[in-house]
Amino acid sequence: MSDTSVIYVLNGPNLNLLGAREPEIYGRDTLADIEQRCLTAAGDARIVFRQTNHEGVLVDWIQEAREKAQALIINPAAYGHTSVALHDALKTLTIPVIELHLSNPAAREAFRHHSYVSSAATGVIAGFGAAGYELAVQAALTKVRERA
Ligand code: DQA
C-alpha cells in the first residue's frame, strides 16, 4: 500500500551553507544532498523540505505543518538554543515532532546545551551528521504508522 504521509523537514539559520560551513563539524554534504537523502528515505511518503534564516518564517511553517503534515522534522540550528517562539509553535502541534542536529550539541560549547525545542519534541536525533536526516525520516514514518 502506498504511503500518502506528508513530512515537513524544516531547517534553520546558516544551514543553507552546509558543505562549506565548518565541514569538520557539519560534514561535506550540501543541503541539496541532504534533501535527496530524505526523499530516498521517505519512499512513497512526501517530503516538504525547506530552509530559512528567519525565526518568524520557521514559526509560519510550523503553523502550516499543523494543517498539512503528518510529522515534522526540524533542525532549528541556533534558534533551538534561543527561541521560545519556536517552542510555543511546536507545542501547538499534535503530530510527531523530531528535533535534529548534525552535530551533538551536548558535547559542544555550554551555550549549545540547552534546547527550547527538545521539550516540545517527540524525540531528538543528534550527532550522526547528514545520516541523521535519514534516521529522522525513518523515525517519523514509524511514529506516523504507529498512530494510524
Ligand atoms: C546544529 C547545532 C547548533 O548548535 C548550531 O547552532 C547549528 C547547527 C547542528 O545541526 O548540529 O547551526 O543545529
Side-chain angles (χ1 to χ4, degrees):
M1 204 174 71
S2 74
D3 189 333
T4 55
S5 306
V6 177
I7 302 174
Y8 272 43
V9 183
L10 303 183
N11 295 281
N14 302 305
L15 294 173
N16 53 312
L17 297 178
L18 281 181
R21 174 192 181 204
E22 297 182 278
E24 65 289 357
I25 296 175
Y26 299 116
R28 298 206 175 271
D29 282 26
T30 65
L31 205 57
D33 296 332
I34 288 175
E35 178 174 10
Q36 199 50 55
R37 281 172 174 245
C38 288
L39 291 170
T40 303
D44 292 339
R46 205 179 127 225
I47 296 285
V48 174
F49 192 93
R50 295 184 187 156
Q51 187 275 334
T52 178
N53 292 327
H54 304 281
E55 183 178 8
V57 174
L58 282 173
V59 171
D60 288 342
W61 288 346
I62 291 167
Q63 291 187 9
E64 185 184 305
R66 274 183 85 231
E67 311 287 334
K68 298 193 172 161
Q70 277 67 55
L72 181 141
I73 296 165
I74 183 164
N75 184 345
Y79 289 140
H81 311 305
T82 62
S83 178
V84 177
L86 280 189
H87 173 93
D88 287 350
L90 291 168
K91 287 293 271 186
T92 70
L93 299 180
T94 55
I95 57 174
V97 173
I98 296 162
E99 178 184 5
L100 169 74
H101 299 278
L102 294 144
S103 66
N104 177 4
R108 299 179 63 195
E109 304 98 317
F111 66 83
R112 297 185 201 276
H113 292 180
H114 180 261
S115 165
Y116 284 99
V117 168
S118 299
S119 53
T122 309
V124 182
I125 294 172
F128 297 101
Y133 281 80
E134 291 164 309
L135 297 173
V137 170
Q138 285 162 18
L141 289 173
T142 300
K143 279 284 164 195
V144 170
R145 284 174 195 140
E146 275 173 16
R147 289 155 55 97

mmCIF file with all atom_site columns, all heavy atoms in Angstrom, residues 108-135:
data_model
loop_
_atom_site.group_PDB
_atom_site.id
_atom_site.type_symbol
_atom_site.label_atom_id
_atom_site.label_alt_id
_atom_site.label_comp_id
_atom_site.label_asym_id
_atom_site.label_entity_id
_atom_site.label_seq_id
_atom_site.pdbx_PDB_ins_code
_atom_site.Cartn_x
_atom_site.Cartn_y
_atom_site.Cartn_z
_atom_site.occupancy
_atom_site.B_iso_or_equiv
_atom_site.pdbx_formal_charge
_atom_site.auth_seq_id
_atom_site.auth_comp_id
_atom_site.auth_asym_id
_atom_site.auth_atom_id
_atom_site.pdbx_PDB_model_num
ATOM 1   N N   . ARG A 1 108 ? 29.293 19.895 22.884 1.00 0.00 ? 108 ARG A N   1
ATOM 2   C CA  . ARG A 1 108 ? 29.971 21.097 22.392 1.00 0.00 ? 108 ARG A CA  1
ATOM 3   C C   . ARG A 1 108 ? 29.942 22.200 23.462 1.00 0.00 ? 108 ARG A C   1
ATOM 4   O O   . ARG A 1 108 ? 29.870 21.916 24.649 1.00 0.00 ? 108 ARG A O   1
ATOM 5   C CB  . ARG A 1 108 ? 29.335 21.525 21.072 1.00 0.00 ? 108 ARG A CB  1
ATOM 6   C CG  . ARG A 1 108 ? 29.480 20.436 19.987 1.00 0.00 ? 108 ARG A CG  1
ATOM 7   C CD  . ARG A 1 108 ? 28.838 20.844 18.678 1.00 0.00 ? 108 ARG A CD  1
ATOM 8   N NE  . ARG A 1 108 ? 29.495 22.040 18.120 1.00 0.00 ? 108 ARG A NE  1
ATOM 9   C CZ  . ARG A 1 108 ? 28.957 22.770 17.147 1.00 0.00 ? 108 ARG A CZ  1
ATOM 10  N NH1 . ARG A 1 108 ? 27.791 22.414 16.627 1.00 0.00 ? 108 ARG A NH1 1
ATOM 11  N NH2 . ARG A 1 108 ? 29.585 23.841 16.702 1.00 0.00 ? 108 ARG A NH2 1
ATOM 12  N N   . GLU A 1 109 ? 30.013 23.459 23.049 1.00 0.00 ? 109 GLU A N   1
ATOM 13  C CA  . GLU A 1 109 ? 30.073 24.576 23.996 1.00 0.00 ? 109 GLU A CA  1
ATOM 14  C C   . GLU A 1 109 ? 28.827 24.595 24.890 1.00 0.00 ? 109 GLU A C   1
ATOM 15  O O   . GLU A 1 109 ? 27.741 24.211 24.463 1.00 0.00 ? 109 GLU A O   1
ATOM 16  C CB  . GLU A 1 109 ? 30.146 25.919 23.256 1.00 0.00 ? 109 GLU A CB  1
ATOM 17  C CG  . GLU A 1 109 ? 31.295 26.058 22.274 1.00 0.00 ? 109 GLU A CG  1
ATOM 18  C CD  . GLU A 1 109 ? 30.848 25.763 20.839 1.00 0.00 ? 109 GLU A CD  1
ATOM 19  O OE1 . GLU A 1 109 ? 30.098 24.786 20.630 1.00 0.00 ? 109 GLU A OE1 1
ATOM 20  O OE2 . GLU A 1 109 ? 31.287 26.498 19.941 1.00 0.00 ? 109 GLU A OE2 1
ATOM 21  N N   . ALA A 1 110 ? 29.002 25.137 26.094 1.00 0.00 ? 110 ALA A N   1
ATOM 22  C CA  . ALA A 1 110 ? 27.903 25.149 27.078 1.00 0.00 ? 110 ALA A CA  1
ATOM 23  C C   . ALA A 1 110 ? 26.664 25.851 26.540 1.00 0.00 ? 110 ALA A C   1
ATOM 24  O O   . ALA A 1 110 ? 25.531 25.443 26.841 1.00 0.00 ? 110 ALA A O   1
ATOM 25  C CB  . ALA A 1 110 ? 28.377 25.801 28.373 1.00 0.00 ? 110 ALA A CB  1
ATOM 26  N N   . PHE A 1 111 ? 26.851 26.924 25.708 1.00 0.00 ? 111 PHE A N   1
ATOM 27  C CA  . PHE A 1 111 ? 25.671 27.652 25.225 1.00 0.00 ? 111 PHE A CA  1
ATOM 28  C C   . PHE A 1 111 ? 24.814 26.831 24.277 1.00 0.00 ? 111 PHE A C   1
ATOM 29  O O   . PHE A 1 111 ? 23.682 27.211 23.980 1.00 0.00 ? 111 PHE A O   1
ATOM 30  C CB  . PHE A 1 111 ? 26.054 29.009 24.594 1.00 0.00 ? 111 PHE A CB  1
ATOM 31  C CG  . PHE A 1 111 ? 26.874 28.927 23.329 1.00 0.00 ? 111 PHE A CG  1
ATOM 32  C CD1 . PHE A 1 111 ? 26.257 28.725 22.100 1.00 0.00 ? 111 PHE A CD1 1
ATOM 33  C CD2 . PHE A 1 111 ? 28.252 29.083 23.371 1.00 0.00 ? 111 PHE A CD2 1
ATOM 34  C CE1 . PHE A 1 111 ? 27.011 28.662 20.927 1.00 0.00 ? 111 PHE A CE1 1
ATOM 35  C CE2 . PHE A 1 111 ? 29.010 29.027 22.205 1.00 0.00 ? 111 PHE A CE2 1
ATOM 36  C CZ  . PHE A 1 111 ? 28.394 28.804 20.989 1.00 0.00 ? 111 PHE A CZ  1
ATOM 37  N N   . ARG A 1 112 ? 25.331 25.682 23.832 1.00 0.00 ? 112 ARG A N   1
ATOM 38  C CA  . ARG A 1 112 ? 24.533 24.805 22.972 1.00 0.00 ? 112 ARG A CA  1
ATOM 39  C C   . ARG A 1 112 ? 23.823 23.714 23.765 1.00 0.00 ? 112 ARG A C   1
ATOM 40  O O   . ARG A 1 112 ? 23.117 22.881 23.193 1.00 0.00 ? 112 ARG A O   1
ATOM 41  C CB  . ARG A 1 112 ? 25.418 24.147 21.904 1.00 0.00 ? 112 ARG A CB  1
ATOM 42  C CG  . ARG A 1 112 ? 26.052 25.109 20.953 1.00 0.00 ? 112 ARG A CG  1
ATOM 43  C CD  . ARG A 1 112 ? 26.822 24.375 19.860 1.00 0.00 ? 112 ARG A CD  1
ATOM 44  N NE  . ARG A 1 112 ? 27.802 25.275 19.284 1.00 0.00 ? 112 ARG A NE  1
ATOM 45  C CZ  . ARG A 1 112 ? 27.535 26.153 18.314 1.00 0.00 ? 112 ARG A CZ  1
ATOM 46  N NH1 . ARG A 1 112 ? 26.322 26.223 17.795 1.00 0.00 ? 112 ARG A NH1 1
ATOM 47  N NH2 . ARG A 1 112 ? 28.473 26.941 17.848 1.00 0.00 ? 112 ARG A NH2 1
ATOM 48  N N   . HIS A 1 113 ? 24.026 23.673 25.070 1.00 0.00 ? 113 HIS A N   1
ATOM 49  C CA  . HIS A 1 113 ? 23.491 22.533 25.837 1.00 0.00 ? 113 HIS A CA  1
ATOM 50  C C   . HIS A 1 113 ? 21.996 22.619 26.063 1.00 0.00 ? 113 HIS A C   1
ATOM 51  O O   . HIS A 1 113 ? 21.341 21.590 26.238 1.00 0.00 ? 113 HIS A O   1
ATOM 52  C CB  . HIS A 1 113 ? 24.226 22.389 27.171 1.00 0.00 ? 113 HIS A CB  1
ATOM 53  C CG  . HIS A 1 113 ? 25.655 21.976 26.999 1.00 0.00 ? 113 HIS A CG  1
ATOM 54  N ND1 . HIS A 1 113 ? 26.528 21.789 28.052 1.00 0.00 ? 113 HIS A ND1 1
ATOM 55  C CD2 . HIS A 1 113 ? 26.391 21.733 25.873 1.00 0.00 ? 113 HIS A CD2 1
ATOM 56  C CE1 . HIS A 1 113 ? 27.715 21.446 27.578 1.00 0.00 ? 113 HIS A CE1 1
ATOM 57  N NE2 . HIS A 1 113 ? 27.653 21.406 26.265 1.00 0.00 ? 113 HIS A NE2 1
ATOM 58  N N   . HIS A 1 114 ? 21.452 23.858 26.100 1.00 0.00 ? 114 HIS A N   1
ATOM 59  C CA  . HIS A 1 114 ? 20.007 23.959 26.307 1.00 0.00 ? 114 HIS A CA  1
ATOM 60  C C   . HIS A 1 114 ? 19.283 24.091 24.969 1.00 0.00 ? 114 HIS A C   1
ATOM 61  O O   . HIS A 1 114 ? 19.731 24.820 24.093 1.00 0.00 ? 114 HIS A O   1
ATOM 62  C CB  . HIS A 1 114 ? 19.648 25.162 27.183 1.00 0.00 ? 114 HIS A CB  1
ATOM 63  C CG  . HIS A 1 114 ? 18.176 25.265 27.391 1.00 0.00 ? 114 HIS A CG  1
ATOM 64  N ND1 . HIS A 1 114 ? 17.373 26.123 26.669 1.00 0.00 ? 114 HIS A ND1 1
ATOM 65  C CD2 . HIS A 1 114 ? 17.343 24.557 28.197 1.00 0.00 ? 114 HIS A CD2 1
ATOM 66  C CE1 . HIS A 1 114 ? 16.111 25.949 27.042 1.00 0.00 ? 114 HIS A CE1 1
ATOM 67  N NE2 . HIS A 1 114 ? 16.071 25.007 27.972 1.00 0.00 ? 114 HIS A NE2 1
ATOM 68  N N   . SER A 1 115 ? 18.170 23.364 24.857 1.00 0.00 ? 115 SER A N   1
ATOM 69  C CA  . SER A 1 115 ? 17.325 23.492 23.657 1.00 0.00 ? 115 SER A CA  1
ATOM 70  C C   . SER A 1 115 ? 15.897 23.793 24.080 1.00 0.00 ? 115 SER A C   1
ATOM 71  O O   . SER A 1 115 ? 15.310 23.068 24.889 1.00 0.00 ? 115 SER A O   1
ATOM 72  C CB  . SER A 1 115 ? 17.344 22.188 22.855 1.00 0.00 ? 115 SER A CB  1
ATOM 73  O OG  . SER A 1 115 ? 16.285 22.188 21.908 1.00 0.00 ? 115 SER A OG  1
ATOM 74  N N   . TYR A 1 116 ? 15.324 24.863 23.514 1.00 0.00 ? 116 TYR A N   1
ATOM 75  C CA  . TYR A 1 116 ? 13.905 25.162 23.731 1.00 0.00 ? 116 TYR A CA  1
ATOM 76  C C   . TYR A 1 116 ? 13.014 24.229 22.918 1.00 0.00 ? 116 TYR A C   1
ATOM 77  O O   . TYR A 1 116 ? 11.810 24.165 23.159 1.00 0.00 ? 116 TYR A O   1
ATOM 78  C CB  . TYR A 1 116 ? 13.599 26.611 23.344 1.00 0.00 ? 116 TYR A CB  1
ATOM 79  C CG  . TYR A 1 116 ? 14.086 27.618 24.363 1.00 0.00 ? 116 TYR A CG  1
ATOM 80  C CD1 . TYR A 1 116 ? 15.280 28.304 24.179 1.00 0.00 ? 116 TYR A CD1 1
ATOM 81  C CD2 . TYR A 1 116 ? 13.349 27.866 25.512 1.00 0.00 ? 116 TYR A CD2 1
ATOM 82  C CE1 . TYR A 1 116 ? 15.727 29.227 25.115 1.00 0.00 ? 116 TYR A CE1 1
ATOM 83  C CE2 . TYR A 1 116 ? 13.793 28.784 26.452 1.00 0.00 ? 116 TYR A CE2 1
ATOM 84  C CZ  . TYR A 1 116 ? 14.973 29.454 26.253 1.00 0.00 ? 116 TYR A CZ  1
ATOM 85  O OH  . TYR A 1 116 ? 15.417 30.361 27.182 1.00 0.00 ? 116 TYR A OH  1
ATOM 86  N N   . VAL A 1 117 ? 13.606 23.527 21.968 1.00 0.00 ? 117 VAL A N   1
ATOM 87  C CA  . VAL A 1 117 ? 12.833 22.649 21.085 1.00 0.00 ? 117 VAL A CA  1
ATOM 88  C C   . VAL A 1 117 ? 12.638 21.264 21.711 1.00 0.00 ? 117 VAL A C   1
ATOM 89  O O   . VAL A 1 117 ? 11.575 20.649 21.568 1.00 0.00 ? 117 VAL A O   1
ATOM 90  C CB  . VAL A 1 117 ? 13.537 22.558 19.711 1.00 0.00 ? 117 VAL A CB  1
ATOM 91  C CG1 . VAL A 1 117 ? 12.964 21.444 18.844 1.00 0.00 ? 117 VAL A CG1 1
ATOM 92  C CG2 . VAL A 1 117 ? 13.413 23.897 18.985 1.00 0.00 ? 117 VAL A CG2 1
ATOM 93  N N   . SER A 1 118 ? 13.656 20.788 22.450 1.00 0.00 ? 118 SER A N   1
ATOM 94  C CA  . SER A 1 118 ? 13.604 19.404 22.956 1.00 0.00 ? 118 SER A CA  1
ATOM 95  C C   . SER A 1 118 ? 12.362 19.122 23.778 1.00 0.00 ? 118 SER A C   1
ATOM 96  O O   . SER A 1 118 ? 11.763 18.051 23.655 1.00 0.00 ? 118 SER A O   1
ATOM 97  C CB  . SER A 1 118 ? 14.836 19.110 23.819 1.00 0.00 ? 118 SER A CB  1
ATOM 98  O OG  . SER A 1 118 ? 16.012 19.242 23.081 1.00 0.00 ? 118 SER A OG  1
ATOM 99  N N   . SER A 1 119 ? 11.960 20.092 24.607 1.00 0.00 ? 119 SER A N   1
ATOM 100 C CA  . SER A 1 119 ? 10.814 19.852 25.493 1.00 0.00 ? 119 SER A CA  1
ATOM 101 C C   . SER A 1 119 ? 9.479  19.897 24.748 1.00 0.00 ? 119 SER A C   1
ATOM 102 O O   . SER A 1 119 ? 8.441  19.563 25.314 1.00 0.00 ? 119 SER A O   1
ATOM 103 C CB  . SER A 1 119 ? 10.807 20.866 26.639 1.00 0.00 ? 119 SER A CB  1
ATOM 104 O OG  . SER A 1 119 ? 10.885 22.178 26.127 1.00 0.00 ? 119 SER A OG  1
ATOM 105 N N   . ALA A 1 120 ? 9.531  20.277 23.463 1.00 0.00 ? 120 ALA A N   1
ATOM 106 C CA  . ALA A 1 120 ? 8.313  20.262 22.643 1.00 0.00 ? 120 ALA A CA  1
ATOM 107 C C   . ALA A 1 120 ? 8.388  19.150 21.587 1.00 0.00 ? 120 ALA A C   1
ATOM 108 O O   . ALA A 1 120 ? 7.520  19.060 20.721 1.00 0.00 ? 120 ALA A O   1
ATOM 109 C CB  . ALA A 1 120 ? 8.127  21.613 21.959 1.00 0.00 ? 120 ALA A CB  1
ATOM 110 N N   . ALA A 1 121 ? 9.449  18.328 21.646 1.00 0.00 ? 121 ALA A N   1
ATOM 111 C CA  . ALA A 1 121 ? 9.665  17.306 20.616 1.00 0.00 ? 121 ALA A CA  1
ATOM 112 C C   . ALA A 1 121 ? 9.268  15.928 21.114 1.00 0.00 ? 121 ALA A C   1
ATOM 113 O O   . ALA A 1 121 ? 9.323  15.639 22.319 1.00 0.00 ? 121 ALA A O   1
ATOM 114 C CB  . ALA A 1 121 ? 11.136 17.292 20.198 1.00 0.00 ? 121 ALA A CB  1
ATOM 115 N N   . THR A 1 122 ? 8.898  15.064 20.171 1.00 0.00 ? 122 THR A N   1
ATOM 116 C CA  . THR A 1 122 ? 8.661  13.662 20.492 1.00 0.00 ? 122 THR A CA  1
ATOM 117 C C   . THR A 1 122 ? 9.992  12.971 20.789 1.00 0.00 ? 122 THR A C   1
ATOM 118 O O   . THR A 1 122 ? 10.090 12.139 21.691 1.00 0.00 ? 122 THR A O   1
ATOM 119 C CB  . THR A 1 122 ? 7.981  12.980 19.280 1.00 0.00 ? 122 THR A CB  1
ATOM 120 O OG1 . THR A 1 122 ? 6.859  13.768 18.882 1.00 0.00 ? 122 THR A OG1 1
ATOM 121 C CG2 . THR A 1 122 ? 7.538  11.566 19.619 1.00 0.00 ? 122 THR A CG2 1
ATOM 122 N N   . GLY A 1 123 ? 11.022 13.303 20.013 1.00 0.00 ? 123 GLY A N   1
ATOM 123 C CA  . GLY A 1 123 ? 12.342 12.711 20.199 1.00 0.00 ? 123 GLY A CA  1
ATOM 124 C C   . GLY A 1 123 ? 13.406 13.556 19.538 1.00 0.00 ? 123 GLY A C   1
ATOM 125 O O   . GLY A 1 123 ? 13.096 14.492 18.791 1.00 0.00 ? 123 GLY A O   1
ATOM 126 N N   . VAL A 1 124 ? 14.654 13.228 19.836 1.00 0.00 ? 124 VAL A N   1
ATOM 127 C CA  . VAL A 1 124 ? 15.797 14.023 19.360 1.00 0.00 ? 124 VAL A CA  1
ATOM 128 C C   . VAL A 1 124 ? 16.829 13.094 18.718 1.00 0.00 ? 124 VAL A C   1
ATOM 129 O O   . VAL A 1 124 ? 17.137 12.029 19.271 1.00 0.00 ? 124 VAL A O   1
ATOM 130 C CB  . VAL A 1 124 ? 16.467 14.776 20.532 1.00 0.00 ? 124 VAL A CB  1
ATOM 131 C CG1 . VAL A 1 124 ? 17.626 15.634 20.043 1.00 0.00 ? 124 VAL A CG1 1
ATOM 132 C CG2 . VAL A 1 124 ? 15.445 15.611 21.295 1.00 0.00 ? 124 VAL A CG2 1
ATOM 133 N N   . ILE A 1 125 ? 17.351 13.513 17.546 1.00 0.00 ? 125 ILE A N   1
ATOM 134 C CA  . ILE A 1 125 ? 18.446 12.786 16.899 1.00 0.00 ? 125 ILE A CA  1
ATOM 135 C C   . ILE A 1 125 ? 19.589 13.779 16.723 1.00 0.00 ? 125 ILE A C   1
ATOM 136 O O   . ILE A 1 125 ? 19.394 14.856 16.140 1.00 0.00 ? 125 ILE A O   1
ATOM 137 C CB  . ILE A 1 125 ? 17.998 12.213 15.535 1.00 0.00 ? 125 ILE A CB  1
ATOM 138 C CG1 . ILE A 1 125 ? 16.926 11.134 15.756 1.00 0.00 ? 125 ILE A CG1 1
ATOM 139 C CG2 . ILE A 1 125 ? 19.183 11.652 14.750 1.00 0.00 ? 125 ILE A CG2 1
ATOM 140 C CD1 . ILE A 1 125 ? 16.263 10.638 14.490 1.00 0.00 ? 125 ILE A CD1 1
ATOM 141 N N   . ALA A 1 126 ? 20.761 13.442 17.232 1.00 0.00 ? 126 ALA A N   1
ATOM 142 C CA  . ALA A 1 126 ? 21.884 14.386 17.179 1.00 0.00 ? 126 ALA A CA  1
ATOM 143 C C   . ALA A 1 126 ? 23.197 13.621 17.086 1.00 0.00 ? 126 ALA A C   1
ATOM 144 O O   . ALA A 1 126 ? 23.357 12.561 17.697 1.00 0.00 ? 126 ALA A O   1
ATOM 145 C CB  . ALA A 1 126 ? 21.902 15.266 18.430 1.00 0.00 ? 126 ALA A CB  1
ATOM 146 N N   . GLY A 1 127 ? 24.128 14.176 16.293 1.00 0.00 ? 127 GLY A N   1
ATOM 147 C CA  . GLY A 1 127 ? 25.495 13.661 16.296 1.00 0.00 ? 127 GLY A CA  1
ATOM 148 C C   . GLY A 1 127 ? 25.816 12.693 15.172 1.00 0.00 ? 127 GLY A C   1
ATOM 149 O O   . GLY A 1 127 ? 26.930 12.196 15.099 1.00 0.00 ? 127 GLY A O   1
ATOM 150 N N   . PHE A 1 128 ? 24.860 12.429 14.274 1.00 0.00 ? 128 PHE A N   1
ATOM 151 C CA  . PHE A 1 128 ? 25.085 11.446 13.213 1.00 0.00 ? 128 PHE A CA  1
ATOM 152 C C   . PHE A 1 128 ? 25.312 12.092 11.850 1.00 0.00 ? 128 PHE A C   1
ATOM 153 O O   . PHE A 1 128 ? 25.249 11.419 10.825 1.00 0.00 ? 128 PHE A O   1
ATOM 154 C CB  . PHE A 1 128 ? 23.921 10.454 13.150 1.00 0.00 ? 128 PHE A CB  1
ATOM 155 C CG  . PHE A 1 128 ? 23.791 9.642  14.406 1.00 0.00 ? 128 PHE A CG  1
ATOM 156 C CD1 . PHE A 1 128 ? 22.829 9.958  15.353 1.00 0.00 ? 128 PHE A CD1 1
ATOM 157 C CD2 . PHE A 1 128 ? 24.662 8.597  14.667 1.00 0.00 ? 128 PHE A CD2 1
ATOM 158 C CE1 . PHE A 1 128 ? 22.724 9.234  16.535 1.00 0.00 ? 128 PHE A CE1 1
ATOM 159 C CE2 . PHE A 1 128 ? 24.564 7.862  15.840 1.00 0.00 ? 128 PHE A CE2 1
ATOM 160 C CZ  . PHE A 1 128 ? 23.608 8.183  16.776 1.00 0.00 ? 128 PHE A CZ  1
ATOM 161 N N   . GLY A 1 129 ? 25.567 13.392 11.837 1.00 0.00 ? 129 GLY A N   1
ATOM 162 C CA  . GLY A 1 129 ? 25.803 14.082 10.577 1.00 0.00 ? 129 GLY A CA  1
ATOM 163 C C   . GLY A 1 129 ? 24.589 13.989 9.667  1.00 0.00 ? 129 GLY A C   1
ATOM 164 O O   . GLY A 1 129 ? 23.450 13.881 10.134 1.00 0.00 ? 129 GLY A O   1
ATOM 165 N N   . ALA A 1 130 ? 24.848 14.018 8.351  1.00 0.00 ? 130 ALA A N   1
ATOM 166 C CA  . ALA A 1 130 ? 23.745 14.007 7.374  1.00 0.00 ? 130 ALA A CA  1
ATOM 167 C C   . ALA A 1 130 ? 22.894 12.751 7.499  1.00 0.00 ? 130 ALA A C   1
ATOM 168 O O   . ALA A 1 130 ? 21.689 12.778 7.219  1.00 0.00 ? 130 ALA A O   1
ATOM 169 C CB  . ALA A 1 130 ? 24.313 14.131 5.967  1.00 0.00 ? 130 ALA A CB  1
ATOM 170 N N   . ALA A 1 131 ? 23.503 11.650 7.934  1.00 0.00 ? 131 ALA A N   1
ATOM 171 C CA  . ALA A 1 131 ? 22.737 10.400 8.098  1.00 0.00 ? 131 ALA A CA  1
ATOM 172 C C   . ALA A 1 131 ? 21.613 10.570 9.101  1.00 0.00 ? 131 ALA A C   1
ATOM 173 O O   . ALA A 1 131 ? 20.611 9.841  9.062  1.00 0.00 ? 131 ALA A O   1
ATOM 174 C CB  . ALA A 1 131 ? 23.668 9.263  8.515  1.00 0.00 ? 131 ALA A CB  1
ATOM 175 N N   . GLY A 1 132 ? 21.748 11.543 10.001 1.00 0.00 ? 132 GLY A N   1
ATOM 176 C CA  . GLY A 1 132 ? 20.702 11.800 10.990 1.00 0.00 ? 132 GLY A CA  1
ATOM 177 C C   . GLY A 1 132 ? 19.371 12.166 10.340 1.00 0.00 ? 132 GLY A C   1
ATOM 178 O O   . GLY A 1 132 ? 18.304 11.861 10.873 1.00 0.00 ? 132 GLY A O   1
ATOM 179 N N   . TYR A 1 133 ? 19.435 12.806 9.180  1.00 0.00 ? 133 TYR A N   1
ATOM 180 C CA  . TYR A 1 133 ? 18.185 13.158 8.475  1.00 0.00 ? 133 TYR A CA  1
ATOM 181 C C   . TYR A 1 133 ? 17.459 11.899 8.012  1.00 0.00 ? 133 TYR A C   1
ATOM 182 O O   . TYR A 1 133 ? 16.229 11.826 8.071  1.00 0.00 ? 133 TYR A O   1
ATOM 183 C CB  . TYR A 1 133 ? 18.474 14.073 7.293  1.00 0.00 ? 133 TYR A CB  1
ATOM 184 C CG  . TYR A 1 133 ? 18.692 15.525 7.673  1.00 0.00 ? 133 TYR A CG  1
ATOM 185 C CD1 . TYR A 1 133 ? 19.903 15.962 8.181  1.00 0.00 ? 133 TYR A CD1 1
ATOM 186 C CD2 . TYR A 1 133 ? 17.680 16.464 7.516  1.00 0.00 ? 133 TYR A CD2 1
ATOM 187 C CE1 . TYR A 1 133 ? 20.116 17.296 8.530  1.00 0.00 ? 133 TYR A CE1 1
ATOM 188 C CE2 . TYR A 1 133 ? 17.874 17.809 7.852  1.00 0.00 ? 133 TYR A CE2 1
ATOM 189 C CZ  . TYR A 1 133 ? 19.089 18.209 8.365  1.00 0.00 ? 133 TYR A CZ  1
ATOM 190 O OH  . TYR A 1 133 ? 19.280 19.526 8.719  1.00 0.00 ? 133 TYR A OH  1
ATOM 191 N N   . GLU A 1 134 ? 18.226 10.907 7.533  1.00 0.00 ? 134 GLU A N   1
ATOM 192 C CA  . GLU A 1 134 ? 17.588 9.645  7.109  1.00 0.00 ? 134 GLU A CA  1
ATOM 193 C C   . GLU A 1 134 ? 16.983 8.942  8.326  1.00 0.00 ? 134 GLU A C   1
ATOM 194 O O   . GLU A 1 134 ? 15.868 8.416  8.256  1.00 0.00 ? 134 GLU A O   1
ATOM 195 C CB  . GLU A 1 134 ? 18.627 8.742  6.435  1.00 0.00 ? 134 GLU A CB  1
ATOM 196 C CG  . GLU A 1 134 ? 19.084 9.286  5.111  1.00 0.00 ? 134 GLU A CG  1
ATOM 197 C CD  . GLU A 1 134 ? 20.377 8.635  4.620  1.00 0.00 ? 134 GLU A CD  1
ATOM 198 O OE1 . GLU A 1 134 ? 21.359 8.569  5.386  1.00 0.00 ? 134 GLU A OE1 1
ATOM 199 O OE2 . GLU A 1 134 ? 20.394 8.212  3.466  1.00 0.00 ? 134 GLU A OE2 1
ATOM 200 N N   . LEU A 1 135 ? 17.729 8.955  9.434  1.00 0.00 ? 135 LEU A N   1
ATOM 201 C CA  . LEU A 1 135 ? 17.205 8.343  10.669 1.00 0.00 ? 135 LEU A CA  1
ATOM 202 C C   . LEU A 1 135 ? 15.929 9.054  11.105 1.00 0.00 ? 135 LEU A C   1
ATOM 203 O O   . LEU A 1 135 ? 14.969 8.424  11.556 1.00 0.00 ? 135 LEU A O   1
ATOM 204 C CB  . LEU A 1 135 ? 18.254 8.417  11.786 1.00 0.00 ? 135 LEU A CB  1
ATOM 205 C CG  . LEU A 1 135 ? 19.556 7.659  11.529 1.00 0.00 ? 135 LEU A CG  1
ATOM 206 C CD1 . LEU A 1 135 ? 20.571 7.965  12.633 1.00 0.00 ? 135 LEU A CD1 1
ATOM 207 C CD2 . LEU A 1 135 ? 19.288 6.163  11.450 1.00 0.00 ? 135 LEU A CD2 1
#
